[in-house]
């Protein structure tokens, strides 16, 4: 199987999530190849898991004030603040049969590529099921997966820098989650690349690119016209709609 | 009357239940940071709970959720039928 790799791009939240869904549809109908993509979010955005209540998780007023977009993902999992300059995001989209049937094992496989990327940067990290990657017991990366119509989509983020002030002003951090882990502050739960290594964003991207493509048959590619048309349609009609955003 | 309950369940994720209930469950909303494949199964679970009596037992809830999971070949990650039933039972108190 040959992978298409789409190098680092920057889009808004709606196009980013719509592209993932458009590729999934394309693979299902045979018009898109299995794809690995890397991307930034501009403007910054909060994404929430498919099952989350947006009012529970997001301080919508602060988001409006700061110009931070809010989007419901197609995947489950938790709320994430996507800082424009503070993270790198990836998506892996391919027929589910390419990956282990066991969901945790498929997370372990793809998260292993991020761990390898961090290793290239000299940072030792470990997979923590279900969907986290930790460095010295602090979360540096989270991922989320869906399998629909025989296609696996996993996307996730690697924290490069931390703007904790903005992160905790736009997210309603769950007190239960904090209490359960017996820690006083949410800040103590997360870390980022820059806390371990003074690497430029480009260097981090190159490390991830190398790790994700190692031992794979791949080629750099571009979006086809159908994917772009469909992504724009999904962005406008689905991901920007109140019906979708306030689904729960 | 609308009541809430939420908890980080033993499988690792957070489950929140909001339930509108008088003598029977009128409306139910389950949210959280869990994973469930296929995702639409959660709608089925919510719909199935509507109409159940306020004092429905934990065991009945588990059986009903399990049936939906099995019928849809669904997989839950970070939650379980028992965990959802526990949080719902708590909200119904």
């Amino acid at each position: 199987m040959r992978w298409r790799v789409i190098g680092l791009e920057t889009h808004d939240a709606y196009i980013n999530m719509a592209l993932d869904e458009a590729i999934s549809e394309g693979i299902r109908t045979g018009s898109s190849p299995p794809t690995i993509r890397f991307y930034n979010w501009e403007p910054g955005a909060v994404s929430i898991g498919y099952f989350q209540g947006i009012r529970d998780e997001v301080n919508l007023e602060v988001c409006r004030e700061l110009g931070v977009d809010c989007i419901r993902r197609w995947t489950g999992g938790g709320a994430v603040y996507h800082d424009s300059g503070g993270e790198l995001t990836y998506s892996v989209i391919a027929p589910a049969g390419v990956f282990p049937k066991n969901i945790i094992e498929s997370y372990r496989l793809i998260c292993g590529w991020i761990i390898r990327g961090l290793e290239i940067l000299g940072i030792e990290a470990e997979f923590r099921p279900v969907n986290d990657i930790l460095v010295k017991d602090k979360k540096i990366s989270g991922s989320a997966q869906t399998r629909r119509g025989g296609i696996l989509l996993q996307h996730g983020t690697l924290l490069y820098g931390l703007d904790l002030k903005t992160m905790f002003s736009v997210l309603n951090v769950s007190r239960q989650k904090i209490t359960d882990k017996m820690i006083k502050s949410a800040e103590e739960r997360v870390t980022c690349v820059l806390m371990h290594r003074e690497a430029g964003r480009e260097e981090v991207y190159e490390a991830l690119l190398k790790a994700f493509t190692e031992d794979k048959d791949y080629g750099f590619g571009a979006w086809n016209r159908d994917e772009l048309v469909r992504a724009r349609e999904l962005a406008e009609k689905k991901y920007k709609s109140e019906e979708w955003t306030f689904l729960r | 009357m609308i009541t809430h309950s939420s908890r980080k369940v033993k499988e690792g994720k957070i489950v929140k239940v909001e339930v509108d209930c008088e003598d029977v469950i009128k409306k139910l909303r389950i949210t959280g940071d869990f994973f469930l494949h296929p995702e639409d199964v959660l709608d089925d679970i919510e719909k199935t709970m509507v109409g159940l009596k306020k004092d429905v037992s934990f065991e009945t809830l588990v059986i009903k959720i399990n049936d939906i999971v099995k019928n849809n070949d669904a997989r839950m990650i970070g939650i379980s039928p028992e965990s959802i039933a526990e949080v719902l039972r708590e909200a119904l108190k």
Side-chain angles (χ1 to χ4, degrees), chain A residues 148-185:
Chain A
R148 300 183 204 230
I151 308 300
L152 183 149
L153 156 66
Q154 182 171 315
H155 48 204
T157 184
L158 174 66
L159 284 166
Y160 171 69
L162 274 180
D163 176 1
L164 290 169
K165 198 177 160 204
T166 307
M167 183 188 287
F168 293 118
S169 67
V170 295
L171 295 178
N172 296 331
V173 178
S174 164
R175 302 207 174 279
Q176 284 165 320
K177 208 164 181 172
I178 300 164
T179 309
D180 277 357
K181 293 195 175 176
M182 309 284 278
I183 46 178
K184 289 175 189 165
S185 139

Side-chain angles (χ1 to χ4, degrees), chain A residues 20-222:
Chain A
D20 280 355
E21 188 169 342
I23 302 165
S24 299
E25 288 179 358
I27 296 173
R28 195 157 57 234
T29 58
S31 58
S32 298
T35 299
I36 294 170
R37 60 179 287 242
F38 299 94
Y39 49 103
N40 296 312
W41 305 60
E42 181 61 50
V46 174
S47 77
I48 61 163
Y50 178 75
F51 301 110
Q52 290 189 300
I54 192 153
R55 290 184 186 86
D56 292 346
E57 306 300 330
V58 185
N59 189 325
L60 294 167
E61 200 174 316
V62 171
C63 285
R64 265 193 299 274
E65 281 169 17
L66 299 177
V68 169
D69 286 335
C70 297
I71 189 166
R72 179 178 300 280
R73 295 192 308 269
W74 207 31
T75 51
V80 181
Y81 170 54
H82 303 279
D83 181 3
S84 285
E87 59 151 43
L88 285 164
T89 315
Y90 76 90
S91 298
V92 174
I93 312 158
V98 172
F99 301 95
K101 196 176 176 195
N102 179 293
I103 291 171
I104 302 291
E105 291 311 309
S106 60
Y107 273 114
R108 189 188 303 280
L109 177 73
I110 297 172
C111 289
W113 305 344
I114 301 168
I115 291 168
R116 169 72 183 126
L118 288 166
E119 184 188 46
I120 292 168
L121 293 167
I123 300 169
E124 192 182 336
E126 58 174 327
F127 175 61
R128 178 72 55 89
V130 175
N131 54 334
D132 291 339
I133 295 171
L134 309 186
V135 173
K136 293 186 168 69
D137 270 338
K138 292 185 182 183
K139 182 169 172 173
I140 197 165
S141 168
S143 294
Q145 195 182 110
T146 185
R147 298 169 179 222
R148 300 183 204 230
I151 308 300
L152 183 149
L153 156 66
Q154 182 171 315
H155 48 204
T157 184
L158 174 66
L159 284 166
Y160 171 69
L162 274 180
D163 176 1
L164 290 169
K165 198 177 160 204
T166 307
M167 183 188 287
F168 293 118
S169 67
V170 295
L171 295 178
N172 296 331
V173 178
S174 164
R175 302 207 174 279
Q176 284 165 320
K177 208 164 181 172
I178 300 164
T179 309
D180 277 357
K181 293 195 175 176
M182 309 284 278
I183 46 178
K184 289 175 189 165
S185 139
E187 280 98 330
E188 292 172 27
R189 295 178 48 239
V190 290
T191 188
C192 64
V193 169
L194 282 180
M195 283 184 178
H196 300 277
R197 170 81 207 284
E198 276 194 32
R201 279 175 58 85
E202 187 64 24
E203 186 184 351
V204 177
Y205 164 61
E206 292 294 338
L208 281 184
L209 182 63
K210 183 169 192 291
F212 274 63
T213 53
E214 251 172 10
D215 304 323
K216 290 188 187 68
D217 180 16
Y218 76 97
F220 285 99

Side-chain angles (χ1 to χ4, degrees), chain B residues 30-88:
Chain B
I30 301 167
T31 55
D33 61 353
F34 49 84
F35 295 92
L36 169 59
H37 308 274
E39 285 80 357
D40 301 343
V41 167
L42 193 66
D43 295 330
D44 293 347
I45 292 173
E46 288 175 339
K47 279 177 199 154
T48 304
M49 301 293 121
V50 171
L52 295 178
K53 286 185 178 171
K54 187 178 180 179
D55 62 357
V56 58
S57 71
F58 168 77
E59 289 76 15
T60 302
L61 292 172
V62 171
I63 289 168
K64 286 190 177 293
I65 299 168
N66 257 325
D67 282 349
I68 299 167
V69 168
K70 279 180 191 156
N71 291 340
N72 290 279
D73 193 23
R75 274 174 284 179
M76 291 180 165
I77 308 283
I79 52 165
S80 66
E82 289 77 11
S83 297
I84 295 173
E86 268 173 31
V87 182
L88 175 55

